[in-house]
Amino acid sequence: MGNSALRAHVETAQKTGVFQLKDRGLTEFPSELQKLTSNLRTIDLSNNKIESLPPMIIGKFTLLKSLSLNNNKLTILPEELCNLKKLEMLSLNNNHLRELPSTFGQLAALKTLSLSGNQLRALPPQLCSLRHLDVVDLSKNQIRSIPDTVGELQVIELNLNQNQISQISVKISCCPRLKVLRLEENCLELSMLPQSILSDSQICLLAVEGNLFEIKKLRELEGYDKYMERFTATKKKFA
């Protein structure tokens, strides 16, 4: 991509606060953006070949609310990313991330996090510090179990479809705001699904198709009627 074309994008972004440059074969984060650290509210560099984010620049976008880098080649995120105190939406689907920075819990304004199609092997414990997080997509990773720390998650929707989950902590029933739990296409035996999800949680949409049991067996479990009451009540609300 030519310098003049990039310059034109930068000039537009200066006026609009939005920098979008998708499908351009970029191999690195455009250094020209450091001129706009106090302007930009949205950056979208999806569908490129970016392997890393520059630590010296990325943490300086003080007004940034939305950052999308889907379909790139990121293997690691710099700690400086966690300085983005106004960031509300972070979308990093289809990269090569194995973990999140230890300071990830400092992204205090974050509401939506998408990490589908990465190489995470565990539920990142840092997510439990994020009090405004509403939606988390961790589908298509390599997560095998859900630990006790899950009970501290504040999310409304948690997508764990297409992982390798065979164990779930009973603490998932303690999530105070969790309404939608997606666990399709994992490795769950029915005996490993905590019954308290049905009888004693806020969850009103539980998606578990494609595991190691028949859905009709789920309907026979104690507490299923309580779950259906919540499911039906929610359905009516949005009808």
Side-chain angles (χ1 to χ4, degrees), residues 112-125:
T112 304
L113 174 63
S114 298
L115 287 162
S116 179
N118 279 281
Q119 295 168 19
L120 300 172
R121 292 175 177 268
L123 186 79

Side-chain angles (χ1 to χ4, degrees), residues 1 5 12 18 40 54 70 86 89 109 158 167 170 208-209 234:
M1 176 173 179
T12 304
V18 176
L40 292 182
N70 301 318
K86 296 205 169 177
M89 197 282 291
L158 180 59
Q167 286 186 307
V170 70
V208 287
E209 286 79 5
T234 306

Side-chain angles (χ1 to χ4, degrees), residues 104-108 110 126-133 154:
F104 198 80
Q106 292 174 14
L107 290 170
L110 200 63
Q126 301 94 313
L127 302 187
C128 297
S129 314
L130 297 168
R131 308 327 265 170
H132 298 288
L133 199 56
Q154 297 292 316

Side-chain angles (χ1 to χ4, degrees), residues 1 21-28 46-50 72:
M1 176 173 179
L21 207 55
K22 303 195 288 186
D23 301 292
R24 296 302 176 98
L26 297 178
T27 53
E28 52 188 43
S46 297
N47 307 337
N48 283 293
K49 296 173 182 174
I50 298 169
N72 276 282

